Amino acid sequence: MQSKKQKRGKSTDYWSLSLPKETADYVPKLLALSYLVKHPQKGIKRPKLAYKPFTTQMNIGQQFDFSVIAKLSGIGSKQLHAINQGYLKNQSSPNGPHTLLLPIGQEALLKSQFFKSNFAGEYIVKQNDTLYGIARRFSMSVKALKQLNNKNNNLIGVGEKLLVGQPKTLPSTLTVDYKISPYLEHQEIAIPTIEIDYEVKSGDSLWSISQLYDVPHSDLAKWNKLSASSILKPGTQLVLFIPQAEKQKAAPTKKDFLLNLQKTLNQPR
């Protein structure tokens, strides 16, 4: 069955299709990469990677904080975030999921003191128990159960204590109460402001104007590209940025200004 383009006598190959720019640019790049991977002699150097997983998934079992897990495991928070980019905050959601990728293999995780101390429960072997039955009860593979207990065979004895991959009832210290999110603590938080123009009057100084409008003296100088000790000339226009909360405050009258200036000058030095 012919398409509309074919009926019109137009070409139907990829390069003749009407596509969004993003798609039109993406497909050729993907084809070029595929060609280079298949023909390494063309100049691309492929990294040699071991054919094994470099991360393992772990169920923390409750809400957790990246900084706490990083401290317990000895893995940096930055690295944890790098391989768990699905988490946009520093904590998992209260309602889950609480799974986390760790930059180690499953075998190394099960043998680590971090896992044994915080995420492995203890089970005492009973009559007629088998490794298979115990592993199935705790949703583990026999291989994982043996790795966790450093076993090279399937022999177990009644009364023997085995570590099993059952999350303990962990302390609430897996989360931290932040006054501010770690993602924001190194960023400047924008506070809504309104811009006010002020005409310098005789006797004004940067200090007196900053006190009048309750803004930092250094900010007032910076906003107007002045130094902190600049002498102001009457008639000069200054700009001030007042926090939005101050928007409803009436602009000071000349009388208010003189009273405030007098109050400032009378303050003991």
Side-chain angles (χ1 to χ4, degrees), residues 23-206:
T23 305
D25 290 344
Y26 172 74
V27 173
K29 291 177 181 178
L30 188 61
L31 292 173
L33 178 61
S34 175
Y35 177 82
L36 290 173
V37 170
K38 289 181 180 178
H39 303 84
Q41 66 274 19
K42 298 296 182 180
I44 188 172
K45 292 183 179 180
R46 290 182 291 179
K48 293 182 179 180
L49 301 175
Y51 190 64
K52 63 178 182 179
F54 287 91
T55 61
T56 189
Q57 183 171 292
M58 180 178 176
N59 182 11
I60 304 301
Q62 67 177 69
Q63 187 180 24
F64 65 87
D65 187 288
F66 271 82
S67 59
V68 176
I69 298 299
K71 186 174 182 180
L72 287 174
S73 64
I75 300 166
S77 293
K78 186 175 181 180
Q79 187 178 12
L80 280 182
H81 277 295
I83 60 177
N84 292 276
Q85 296 187 20
Y87 289 100
L88 300 180
K89 298 181 179 179
N90 202 54
Q91 293 181 339
S92 64
S93 168
N95 301 320
H98 302 307
T99 54
L100 187 69
L101 280 178
L102 296 175
I104 53 178
Q106 183 72 14
E107 184 176 350
L109 172 66
L110 294 175
K111 290 182 178 180
S112 69
Q113 193 58 45
F114 159 64
F115 184 85
K116 291 180 179 180
S117 299
N118 300 284
F119 300 98
E122 190 175 78
Y123 177 78
I124 300 177
V125 178
K126 300 178 178 61
Q127 188 74 33
N128 300 322
D129 273 342
T130 64
L131 279 180
Y132 174 77
I134 297 171
R136 187 174 179 181
R137 181 182 302 179
F138 294 101
S139 302
M140 301 176 67
S141 67
V142 174
K143 182 180 178 181
L145 181 58
K146 290 169 69 174
Q147 287 175 343
L148 184 56
N149 291 277
N150 299 317
K151 279 187 170 292
N152 297 317
N153 54 56
N154 295 332
L155 298 177
I156 54 174
V158 175
E160 182 179 351
K161 293 180 180 179
L162 293 178
L163 291 175
V164 292
Q166 181 184 40
K168 293 180 178 179
T169 303
L170 296 168
S172 59
T173 50
L174 281 183
T175 57
V176 177
D177 291 329
Y178 290 104
K179 291 182 180 178
I180 182 170
S181 165
Y183 277 92
L184 298 176
E185 62 183 351
H186 298 300
Q187 302 175 18
E188 291 185 4
I189 300 176
I191 299 174
T193 59
I194 56 173
E195 183 177 330
I196 291 179
D197 293 322
Y198 178 83
E199 183 177 333
V200 176
K201 300 173 181 61
S202 179
D204 278 348
S205 68
L206 284 175

